[in-house]
């Protein structure tokens, strides 16, 4: 069986802190992609070494564990993900979310052939799926998202939002003053200045 292809265009960053209930599933979903990519686990100064020990035991060259010297807060840790990533594009995967296997493949295919600074996908919610959905991603519709759309709903929720890292940094990252809606505020601010699109395919949970 041939090895999965690899893209150096995007990083999946997983911010973690203390809890260990789901992060193994999140990490596995980032690694079990049809096109693999760099994965970083950014630990916000947890009080234990369980997460570090697990990543170390994986001994997977695709995964890098990084520990903040002190707790930066939730939004600060998201911004640290931007600082630590070394690729052009970044997606932040919460430790209790998962990406479906074709997420990276479809995102990379889109950003290589289109002009956008941020690409969101549709997400499943509710009960955690017992099996990963199969492929059903032909003829995918892509819609443009404008900042005013966020007045009605969050059209690009975590997880599955990929964005240009330099654009995120240029905007000053996520603003903790907007907690607990800092992600919504960041996406709307980004879409006001840069093209944001949503791929209408369920590629995350």
């Amino acid at each position: 069986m041939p090895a999965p292809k690899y893209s150096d265009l995007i990083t999946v960053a997983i911010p973690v802190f203390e809890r260990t209930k789901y992060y193994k599933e999140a990490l596995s979903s980032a690694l079990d992609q049809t096109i693999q990519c760099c994965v970083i686990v950014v630990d916000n100064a947890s009080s234990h070494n369980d997460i570090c020990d697990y990543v170390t035991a994986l001994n997977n060259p695709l995964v890098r564990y990084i520990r903040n010297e002190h707790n930066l807060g939730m939004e600060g840790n998201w911004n640290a993900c931007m600082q630590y990533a070394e690729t052009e594009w970044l997606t932040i995967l919460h430790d209790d979310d998962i990406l479906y296997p074709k997420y990276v493949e479809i995102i990379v295919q889109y950003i290589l052939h289109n002009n956008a600074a941020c690409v969101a996908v549709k997400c499943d919610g509710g009960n955690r799926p017992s099996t990963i959905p199969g492929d059903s991603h032909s003829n995918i519709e892509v819609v443009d998202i404008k900042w005013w759309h966020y007045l009605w709903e969050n059209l690009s929720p975590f997880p599955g939002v990929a964005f240009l890292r330099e654009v995120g940094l240029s905007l000053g990252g996520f603003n903790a003053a907007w907690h607990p809606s800092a992600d919504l505020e960041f996406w709307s601010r980004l879409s006001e200045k840069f093209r944001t699109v949503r791929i209408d395919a369920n590629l995350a949970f």
Side-chain angles (χ1 to χ4, degrees):
M1 183 176 180
K5 296 179 181 179
Y6 176 81
S7 174
D8 60 1
L9 192 62
I10 188 170
T11 292
V12 177
I14 306 177
V16 294
F17 176 65
E18 296 294 355
R19 63 185 183 183
T20 59
K21 185 175 182 180
Y22 297 121
Y23 80 95
K24 293 179 183 179
E25 293 176 77
L27 179 54
S28 292
S29 78
L31 293 173
D32 294 339
Q33 294 288 309
T34 54
I35 292 183
Q36 294 183 329
C37 67
C38 177
V39 179
I40 58 175
V41 177
V42 184
D43 191 333
N44 203 15
S46 295
S47 62
H48 56 77
N49 293 320
D50 295 354
I51 299 169
C52 177
D53 292 345
Y54 180 77
V55 173
T56 301
L58 284 178
N59 194 29
N60 188 323
L62 291 175
V63 185
R64 182 163 55 113
Y65 173 86
I66 304 165
R67 182 184 179 88
N68 297 329
E69 291 185 4
H70 58 274
N71 190 305
L72 304 175
M74 183 174 70
E75 292 82 7
N77 203 26
W78 297 348
N79 292 332
C81 290
M82 273 190 260
Q83 296 287 345
Y84 292 132
E86 298 177 347
T87 54
E88 186 178 1
W89 284 78
L90 171 69
T91 185
I92 298 174
L93 176 65
H94 292 328
D95 64 359
D96 59 352
D97 295 334
I98 57 176
L99 300 175
Y100 294 157
K102 294 197 77 172
Y103 172 79
V104 170
E105 179 180 342
I106 290 174
I107 289 292
V108 167
Q109 182 179 7
Y110 180 83
I111 60 182
L112 283 174
H113 299 98
N114 294 275
N115 179 28
C118 182
V119 183
V121 302
K122 294 177 71 175
C123 303
D124 289 322
N127 294 326
R128 203 170 184 81
S130 57
T131 58
I132 300 299
D135 293 339
S136 58
H137 305 306
S138 58
N139 301 318
I140 297 174
E141 182 182 1
V142 177
V143 296
D144 278 84
I145 297 176
K146 304 301 183 182
W147 70 267
W148 60 82
H149 291 154
Y150 292 94
L151 297 173
W152 289 274
E153 62 176 317
N154 188 353
L155 298 175
S156 52
F158 279 132
V161 184
F163 60 96
L164 283 167
R165 190 175 71 92
E166 287 300 323
V167 164
L169 292 171
S170 72
L171 292 173
F174 297 90
N175 186 346
W178 281 89
H179 182 86
S181 302
D183 55 337
L184 177 63
E185 188 274 336
F186 178 75
W187 306 134
S188 61
R189 182 157 38 95
L190 191 156
S191 64
E192 182 180 9
K193 297 180 180 296
F194 302 93
R195 187 183 179 210
T196 298
V197 300
R198 184 185 66 204
I199 297 174
D200 276 344
N202 288 30
L203 294 169
F205 173 85

